[in-house]
Amino acid sequence: MIQAVCFDYYNTCTSAVRRGGGHRRTAEVLGVDPAEWLSVLDRTYDERARGGYGSHLAGLRRLCTELGVEPTTAQLREAAELRLATVQADAPLRPETLGVLDALRAAGVRIAIVSDCWFELPLVLPRTPLADVIDAAVYSCQVGHTKPHAAMYATACAQLDVDPARCLYVGDGGSRELTGAARFGLTAIQLRAPDLGAHLTFHAEPDWRGPMVTSLEAVPELVGARELVA
């Protein structure tokens, strides 16, 4: 019997992530080249997601230093706010996400968000409607490891007080999260939504051959909560 569901956040609870113009504006505020800014974000993703770049201002300063720029504190603060707004704009919630989570919660199923992320998501998620319907949030930058490390799944199961065998994991497959979840004992399900394919992701697992769904709306039925909330 399934007692809990862990959801990846980006590209799963959100629509396909695509970088918008906010990144260029952030680079301009910091006084760095926009193309170099995107390159350093890609290059440092893993370390940032493990929490290795510290707080948001310290992390932004370190990225700029690596690009040979020394921004002022005022620039860093403006850039941090832009970064938060940009990440939200790049990854809006799927229209069905809240209804799916409401249905699961109404059925007594515990819910966790398990995400690889930098400083943004711990600040953004509490401001979203999801904050009222989840039981736990596991952020890689706080755990000190990214998926597929077992610590991410162990932390989620501990916070949900659930045995891995009683837990589903739903994600698009970034960070090889599905393989990691299955290895830890969760039932892993890939979301292959129509908008996914050219989305921003890191360490995808295109070779996944396990269960899959094309919409989050299929998840409640998998655990017996058949009525979706409108």
Side-chain angles (χ1 to χ4, degrees):
M1 180 179 177
I2 296 299
Q3 298 174 339
V5 182
C6 293
F7 289 92
D8 173 43
Y9 185 75
Y10 295 110
N11 298 310
T12 301
C13 291
T14 78
S15 298
V17 177
R18 293 180 173 86
R19 282 176 172 154
H23 297 279
R24 172 174 288 274
R25 292 191 293 274
T26 303
E28 290 170 348
V29 165
L30 292 169
V32 301
D33 179 80
E36 291 183 357
W37 180 244
L38 293 182
S39 179
V40 78
L41 288 177
D42 289 344
R43 177 171 53 79
T44 63
Y45 171 78
D46 292 323
E47 184 63 20
R48 288 186 292 109
R50 288 192 290 267
Y53 272 64
S55 68
H56 56 296
L57 295 186
L60 289 169
R61 186 184 297 279
R62 179 175 166 186
L63 290 175
C64 290
T65 299
E66 292 178 17
L67 295 175
V69 175
E70 293 295 334
T72 66
T73 299
Q75 286 175 295
L76 291 169
R77 287 174 176 162
E78 184 178 356
E81 290 301 318
L82 270 172
R83 175 83 184 159
L84 289 174
T86 297
V87 169
Q88 288 178 278
D90 286 355
L93 287 178
R94 294 186 180 278
E96 66 272 23
T97 296
L98 189 58
V100 167
L101 269 60
D102 277 338
L104 293 170
R105 189 175 181 87
V109 177
R110 282 161 274 172
I111 302 167
I113 300 296
V114 183
S115 181
D116 286 353
C117 57
W118 194 19
F119 70 85
E120 307 92 357
L121 193 58
L123 296 176
V124 167
L125 187 59
R127 306 177 189 175
T128 73
L130 299 190
D132 294 328
V133 295
I134 65 173
D135 300 286
V138 179
Y139 307 116
S140 62
C141 61
Q142 296 178 353
V143 173
H145 294 283
T146 56
K147 295 176 283 188
H149 196 283
M152 292 290 286
Y153 312 101
T155 301
C157 289
Q159 291 188 13
L160 293 171
D161 191 25
V162 65
D163 187 280
R166 305 293 189 185
C167 189
L168 294 183
Y169 183 92
V170 182
D172 67 293
S175 300
R176 299 199 66 82
E177 60 189 346
L178 303 170
T179 297
R183 184 184 301 125
F184 194 73
L186 288 75
T187 299
I189 300 172
Q190 185 177 38
L191 175 66
R192 294 186 187 173
D195 64 329
L196 298 176
H199 59 293
L200 177 66
T201 190
F202 295 88
H203 312 303
E205 48 184 325
D207 54 341
W208 175 253
R209 296 294 181 266
M212 53 80 62
V213 295
T214 58
S215 171
L216 289 182
E217 292 176 320
V219 175
E221 187 170 355
L222 295 176
V223 296
R226 297 178 180 273
E227 296 299 323
L228 291 181
V229 176

